[in-house]
Amino acid sequence: MPARLLLIEDEPAVLAILQAAVAFGGFDSAFVTRADEAIRTLREQSFDAVLLDLGLPDAEGNDLLPMVREITDVPIIVVSGRGTEQDKIMALDLGADDFVSKPFLPGELLARIRAALRRYGQSMQEDGGGDGGRQPLQVGALILDPMDHFVRVGDVGVELNRTEFKIFRRLAAQAGSAVSRAELMEALYGETDDLRSDSRIINVYMSRIRAKLRDLPGSADLITSARGVGWTLQAPS
């Protein structure tokens, strides 16, 4: 069965482009033009991904985004005319999986959708289908809990947001080895053909993660920079 997408967009011209693009990509779709319709529809129907505009007539998109995330854990791709680095960081912080700036190329949008769906499918497999198999991961004395996005050493834990946890999980999976910026971008967005100009976002999140990890025992130099390569997680013993 083709994946089914919910399009949350109030601009008729943009909605028409979205509908044509996803249909060309082989996806089914439904659409709503208001935030209240989006909440009701998501509670009543099942979708494989959500495409969300931030400029809705009855609600600010950044207010709607966490409400959508509370209802469903499927990929949320923000499609917005706002495209600053801060806009993207805020959307990711609030639960988005990707951010596509308007105007967009249909081919790029489809690549982002496919990458998000593929990444979500892999996550479901790793987490045992999403029905209780999300067991904590341990790297040295570090324990990563995918259920609540906590990182613990002994009895002390710090909470990472959804995006921070994705990045840190990739570092933990390759603990002791340098992880490149490209690999961390892939952890966030999956494999796409476009070269992202927003890769500096990784710097912002790495600074945040490092600041939070300072509260853990033995956290000095837990993440080190490998100049020209990336970052390395040295798990505490």
Side-chain angles (χ1 to χ4, degrees):
M1 293 291 291
R4 187 164 184 253
L5 315 180
L6 178 63
L7 314 179
I8 307 174
E9 171 64 63
D10 71 312
E11 179 61 41
V14 177
L15 178 59
I17 294 172
L18 287 173
Q19 289 175 310
V22 300
F24 180 79
F27 301 111
D28 289 337
S29 68
F31 75 90
V32 294
T33 60
R34 295 174 55 86
D36 54 358
E37 293 174 340
I39 295 300
R40 182 172 63 252
T41 301
L42 285 167
R43 285 174 174 163
E44 295 175 350
Q45 302 179 43
S46 296
F47 296 91
D48 298 293
V50 175
L51 273 59
L52 170 65
D53 177 34
L54 295 181
L56 298 174
D58 61 329
E60 167 62 36
N62 284 331
D63 293 330
L64 176 61
L65 214 169
M67 297 168 64
V68 172
R69 177 52 70 206
E70 286 185 3
I71 297 172
T72 180
D73 63 353
V74 302
I76 302 173
I77 301 174
V78 170
V79 184
S80 175
R82 309 174 193 174
T84 69
E85 184 176 287
Q86 188 56 45
D87 290 325
K88 296 174 183 180
I89 290 173
M90 179 174 291
L92 292 170
D93 280 347
L94 293 174
D97 295 272
D98 203 348
F99 192 112
V100 177
S101 298
K102 300 175 184 176
F104 55 85
L105 296 175
E108 177 190 350
L109 177 66
L110 290 174
R112 301 284 189 96
I113 294 170
R114 287 191 292 265
L117 290 171
R118 183 168 58 250
R119 195 163 60 248
Y120 180 68
Q122 291 170 349
S123 175
M124 290 289 284
Q125 289 180 350
E126 292 171 359
D127 294 340
D131 56 359
R134 299 179 181 178
Q135 298 299 316
L137 310 174
Q138 185 160 359
V139 181
L142 279 173
I143 297 177
L144 289 72
D145 192 337
M147 288 296 291
D148 58 14
H149 296 169
F150 260 81
V151 178
R152 297 181 174 85
V153 174
D155 295 330
V156 181
V158 295
E159 184 178 6
L160 305 181
N161 68 28
R162 182 184 177 92
T163 303
E164 293 163 351
F165 193 84
K166 287 180 183 178
I167 294 171
F168 190 72
R169 187 170 184 170
R170 174 59 68 90
L171 289 170
Q174 298 173 226
S177 301
V179 183
S180 69
R181 181 186 303 273
E183 289 175 299
L184 295 178
M185 290 296 289
E186 182 185 338
L188 286 184
Y189 299 115
E191 296 180 7
T192 58
D193 294 331
D194 60 299
L195 296 175
R196 296 175 182 278
S197 61
D198 57 356
S199 65
R200 292 173 302 178
I201 287 175
I202 295 296
N203 293 27
V204 176
Y205 279 110
M206 198 61 68
S207 295
R208 289 188 185 181
I209 293 169
R210 281 171 149 172
K212 291 184 177 182
L213 294 181
R214 291 191 189 107
D215 292 332
L216 296 177
S219 63
D221 298 323
L222 200 60
I223 297 176
T224 57
S225 298
R227 184 176 294 277
V229 181
W231 294 268
T232 303
L233 171 66
Q234 303 293 349
S237 58

